[in-house]
PDB file of all heavy atoms in Angstrom:
ATOM      1  N   LYS A 617      -6.754   1.674  15.235  1.00 69.00           N
ATOM      2  CA  LYS A 617      -6.259   1.017  14.030  1.00 69.00           C
ATOM      3  C   LYS A 617      -5.082   0.139  14.414  1.00 69.00           C
ATOM      4  O   LYS A 617      -4.211   0.550  15.168  1.00 69.00           O
ATOM      5  CB  LYS A 617      -5.814   2.066  13.003  1.00 69.00           C
ATOM      6  CG  LYS A 617      -6.968   2.882  12.443  1.00 69.00           C
ATOM      7  CD  LYS A 617      -7.471   2.289  11.144  1.00 69.00           C
ATOM      8  CE  LYS A 617      -8.426   3.218  10.404  1.00 69.00           C
ATOM      9  NZ  LYS A 617      -9.721   3.395  11.025  1.00 69.00           N
ATOM     10  N   LYS A 618      -5.064  -1.053  13.888  1.00 89.00           N
ATOM     11  CA  LYS A 618      -3.995  -1.962  14.258  1.00 89.00           C
ATOM     12  C   LYS A 618      -2.777  -1.836  13.352  1.00 89.00           C
ATOM     13  O   LYS A 618      -1.958  -2.715  13.282  1.00 89.00           O
ATOM     14  CB  LYS A 618      -4.513  -3.401  14.253  1.00 89.00           C
ATOM     15  CG  LYS A 618      -5.318  -3.714  15.503  1.00 89.00           C
ATOM     16  CD  LYS A 618      -5.523  -5.184  15.687  1.00 89.00           C
ATOM     17  CE  LYS A 618      -6.160  -5.466  17.031  1.00 89.00           C
ATOM     18  NZ  LYS A 618      -6.385  -6.890  17.222  1.00 89.00           N
ATOM     19  N   THR A 661       8.300  -7.675   0.206  1.00 96.00           N
ATOM     20  CA  THR A 661       6.871  -7.893  -0.017  1.00 96.00           C
ATOM     21  C   THR A 661       6.125  -8.197   1.272  1.00 96.00           C
ATOM     22  O   THR A 661       5.012  -7.719   1.471  1.00 96.00           O
ATOM     23  CB  THR A 661       6.668  -9.048  -1.018  1.00 96.00           C
ATOM     24  OG1 THR A 661       7.355  -8.724  -2.218  1.00 96.00           O
ATOM     25  CG2 THR A 661       5.190  -9.252  -1.322  1.00 96.00           C
ATOM     26  N   LEU A 662       6.728  -8.996   2.130  1.00 96.00           N
ATOM     27  CA  LEU A 662       6.006  -9.425   3.325  1.00 96.00           C
ATOM     28  C   LEU A 662       6.555  -8.795   4.606  1.00 96.00           C
ATOM     29  O   LEU A 662       7.759  -8.597   4.735  1.00 96.00           O
ATOM     30  CB  LEU A 662       6.070 -10.948   3.449  1.00 96.00           C
ATOM     31  CG  LEU A 662       5.523 -11.731   2.253  1.00 96.00           C
ATOM     32  CD1 LEU A 662       5.699 -13.229   2.481  1.00 96.00           C
ATOM     33  CD2 LEU A 662       4.061 -11.407   2.010  1.00 96.00           C
ATOM     34  N   ARG A 663       5.639  -8.537   5.540  1.00 96.00           N
ATOM     35  CA  ARG A 663       6.058  -8.116   6.869  1.00 96.00           C
ATOM     36  C   ARG A 663       6.668  -9.313   7.593  1.00 96.00           C
ATOM     37  O   ARG A 663       6.434 -10.455   7.197  1.00 96.00           O
ATOM     38  CB  ARG A 663       4.843  -7.628   7.669  1.00 96.00           C
ATOM     39  CG  ARG A 663       4.346  -6.277   7.246  1.00 96.00           C
ATOM     40  CD  ARG A 663       3.052  -5.901   7.943  1.00 96.00           C
ATOM     41  NE  ARG A 663       2.602  -4.613   7.421  1.00 96.00           N
ATOM     42  CZ  ARG A 663       2.908  -3.435   7.970  1.00 96.00           C
ATOM     43  NH1 ARG A 663       3.610  -3.397   9.081  1.00 96.00           N
ATOM     44  NH2 ARG A 663       2.504  -2.307   7.419  1.00 96.00           N
ATOM     45  N   ARG A 664       7.397  -9.043   8.665  1.00 96.00           N
ATOM     46  CA  ARG A 664       7.961 -10.127   9.456  1.00 96.00           C
ATOM     47  C   ARG A 664       7.287 -10.143  10.833  1.00 96.00           C
ATOM     48  O   ARG A 664       7.287  -9.114  11.523  1.00 96.00           O
ATOM     49  CB  ARG A 664       9.476  -9.947   9.616  1.00 96.00           C
ATOM     50  CG  ARG A 664      10.254  -9.951   8.295  1.00 96.00           C
ATOM     51  CD  ARG A 664      10.150 -11.283   7.567  1.00 96.00           C
ATOM     52  NE  ARG A 664      11.079 -11.386   6.445  1.00 96.00           N
ATOM     53  CZ  ARG A 664      10.786 -11.126   5.168  1.00 96.00           C
ATOM     54  NH1 ARG A 664       9.576 -10.701   4.843  1.00 96.00           N
ATOM     55  NH2 ARG A 664      11.695 -11.276   4.218  1.00 96.00           N
ATOM     56  N   LYS A 831      -4.607 -17.410   4.558  1.00 92.00           N
ATOM     57  CA  LYS A 831      -4.540 -18.853   4.852  1.00 92.00           C
ATOM     58  C   LYS A 831      -3.171 -19.441   4.500  1.00 92.00           C
ATOM     59  O   LYS A 831      -3.062 -20.618   4.184  1.00 92.00           O
ATOM     60  CB  LYS A 831      -5.641 -19.628   4.107  1.00 92.00           C
ATOM     61  CG  LYS A 831      -7.040 -19.048   4.268  1.00 92.00           C
ATOM     62  CD  LYS A 831      -7.561 -19.216   5.675  1.00 92.00           C
ATOM     63  CE  LYS A 831      -8.942 -18.569   5.832  1.00 92.00           C
ATOM     64  NZ  LYS A 831      -9.304 -18.381   7.221  1.00 92.00           N
ATOM     65  N   ASN A 845      -8.158 -27.005   9.586  1.00 93.00           N
ATOM     66  CA  ASN A 845      -7.098 -26.010   9.507  1.00 93.00           C
ATOM     67  C   ASN A 845      -7.307 -24.914  10.536  1.00 93.00           C
ATOM     68  O   ASN A 845      -8.443 -24.545  10.847  1.00 93.00           O
ATOM     69  CB  ASN A 845      -7.100 -25.347   8.125  1.00 93.00           C
ATOM     70  CG  ASN A 845      -6.607 -26.275   7.036  1.00 93.00           C
ATOM     71  OD1 ASN A 845      -5.938 -27.282   7.313  1.00 93.00           O
ATOM     72  ND2 ASN A 845      -6.922 -25.953   5.800  1.00 93.00           N
TER      73      ASN A 845
ATOM     74  N   ASP B 897     -10.313  -3.669  11.487  1.00 86.00           N
ATOM     75  CA  ASP B 897      -9.340  -3.023  12.368  1.00 86.00           C
ATOM     76  C   ASP B 897      -8.418  -2.067  11.618  1.00 86.00           C
ATOM     77  O   ASP B 897      -7.617  -1.368  12.231  1.00 86.00           O
ATOM     78  CB  ASP B 897      -8.441  -4.073  13.046  1.00 86.00           C
ATOM     79  CG  ASP B 897      -9.188  -4.871  14.097  1.00 86.00           C
ATOM     80  OD1 ASP B 897     -10.173  -4.340  14.630  1.00 86.00           O
ATOM     81  OD2 ASP B 897      -8.782  -6.012  14.368  1.00 86.00           O
ATOM     82  N   PHE B 898      -8.501  -2.072  10.282  1.00 89.00           N
ATOM     83  CA  PHE B 898      -7.505  -1.338   9.514  1.00 89.00           C
ATOM     84  C   PHE B 898      -8.068  -0.242   8.625  1.00 89.00           C
ATOM     85  O   PHE B 898      -7.414   0.760   8.379  1.00 89.00           O
ATOM     86  CB  PHE B 898      -6.708  -2.306   8.633  1.00 89.00           C
ATOM     87  CG  PHE B 898      -6.012  -3.378   9.424  1.00 89.00           C
ATOM     88  CD1 PHE B 898      -6.562  -4.648   9.544  1.00 89.00           C
ATOM     89  CD2 PHE B 898      -4.822  -3.095  10.065  1.00 89.00           C
ATOM     90  CE1 PHE B 898      -5.919  -5.622  10.290  1.00 89.00           C
ATOM     91  CE2 PHE B 898      -4.174  -4.062  10.809  1.00 89.00           C
ATOM     92  CZ  PHE B 898      -4.724  -5.335  10.923  1.00 89.00           C
ATOM     93  N   PRO B 918     -10.098 -27.864   2.154  1.00 89.00           N
ATOM     94  CA  PRO B 918      -9.037 -27.679   3.159  1.00 89.00           C
ATOM     95  C   PRO B 918      -7.784 -26.993   2.599  1.00 89.00           C
ATOM     96  O   PRO B 918      -6.941 -26.548   3.356  1.00 89.00           O
ATOM     97  CB  PRO B 918      -8.713 -29.103   3.600  1.00 89.00           C
ATOM     98  CG  PRO B 918      -9.036 -29.956   2.410  1.00 89.00           C
ATOM     99  CD  PRO B 918     -10.153 -29.261   1.676  1.00 89.00           C
ATOM    100  N   ARG B 924       2.940 -22.969   2.085  1.00 92.00           N
ATOM    101  CA  ARG B 924       2.038 -22.247   1.184  1.00 92.00           C
ATOM    102  C   ARG B 924       2.537 -20.891   0.701  1.00 92.00           C
ATOM    103  O   ARG B 924       1.960 -20.307  -0.211  1.00 92.00           O
ATOM    104  CB  ARG B 924       0.689 -22.028   1.888  1.00 92.00           C
ATOM    105  CG  ARG B 924      -0.063 -23.304   2.166  1.00 92.00           C
ATOM    106  CD  ARG B 924      -1.353 -22.999   2.897  1.00 92.00           C
ATOM    107  NE  ARG B 924      -2.220 -24.179   2.957  1.00 92.00           N
ATOM    108  CZ  ARG B 924      -3.477 -24.145   3.338  1.00 92.00           C
ATOM    109  NH1 ARG B 924      -4.020 -22.997   3.690  1.00 92.00           N
ATOM    110  NH2 ARG B 924      -4.200 -25.240   3.371  1.00 92.00           N
ATOM    111  N   GLU B 927       8.335 -15.968  -0.284  1.00 96.00           N
ATOM    112  CA  GLU B 927       8.598 -14.589  -0.700  1.00 96.00           C
ATOM    113  C   GLU B 927       9.671 -14.579  -1.792  1.00 96.00           C
ATOM    114  O   GLU B 927      10.630 -15.345  -1.739  1.00 96.00           O
ATOM    115  CB  GLU B 927       9.072 -13.764   0.489  1.00 96.00           C
ATOM    116  CG  GLU B 927       9.185 -12.281   0.167  1.00 96.00           C
ATOM    117  CD  GLU B 927       9.692 -11.485   1.354  1.00 96.00           C
ATOM    118  OE1 GLU B 927      10.701 -11.873   1.946  1.00 96.00           O
ATOM    119  OE2 GLU B 927       9.054 -10.468   1.688  1.00 96.00           O
ATOM    120  N   GLY B 931       7.958  -9.833  -4.893  1.00 97.00           N
ATOM    121  CA  GLY B 931       6.662 -10.506  -4.912  1.00 97.00           C
ATOM    122  C   GLY B 931       6.588 -11.676  -3.972  1.00 97.00           C
ATOM    123  O   GLY B 931       7.403 -11.808  -3.052  1.00 97.00           O
ATOM    124  N   GLU B 939      -8.432 -22.944  -0.195  1.00 90.00           N
ATOM    125  CA  GLU B 939      -9.072 -23.223   1.091  1.00 90.00           C
ATOM    126  C   GLU B 939     -10.242 -22.254   1.270  1.00 90.00           C
ATOM    127  O   GLU B 939     -10.107 -21.056   1.100  1.00 90.00           O
ATOM    128  CB  GLU B 939      -8.068 -23.028   2.238  1.00 90.00           C
ATOM    129  CG  GLU B 939      -8.746 -23.137   3.594  1.00 90.00           C
ATOM    130  CD  GLU B 939      -7.775 -23.076   4.773  1.00 90.00           C
ATOM    131  OE1 GLU B 939      -6.566 -23.167   4.559  1.00 90.00           O
ATOM    132  OE2 GLU B 939      -8.268 -22.944   5.897  1.00 90.00           O
ATOM    133  N   THR B1136       0.574  -6.592   3.095  1.00 95.00           N
ATOM    134  CA  THR B1136       1.624  -5.806   3.720  1.00 95.00           C
ATOM    135  C   THR B1136       1.077  -4.492   4.274  1.00 95.00           C
ATOM    136  O   THR B1136       1.529  -4.007   5.300  1.00 95.00           O
ATOM    137  CB  THR B1136       2.730  -5.495   2.690  1.00 95.00           C
ATOM    138  OG1 THR B1136       2.894  -6.645   1.866  1.00 95.00           O
ATOM    139  CG2 THR B1136       4.025  -5.173   3.366  1.00 95.00           C
TER     140      THR B1136
END
Side-chain angles (χ1 to χ4, degrees):
Chain A
K617 292 265 192 290
K618 282 195 172 179
T661 303
L662 303 178
R663 285 173 183 268
R664 299 296 191 264
K831 310 291 177 196
N845 288 341
Chain B
D897 288 335
F898 302 99
R924 294 178 169 191
E927 188 181 50
E939 173 175 348
T1136 322

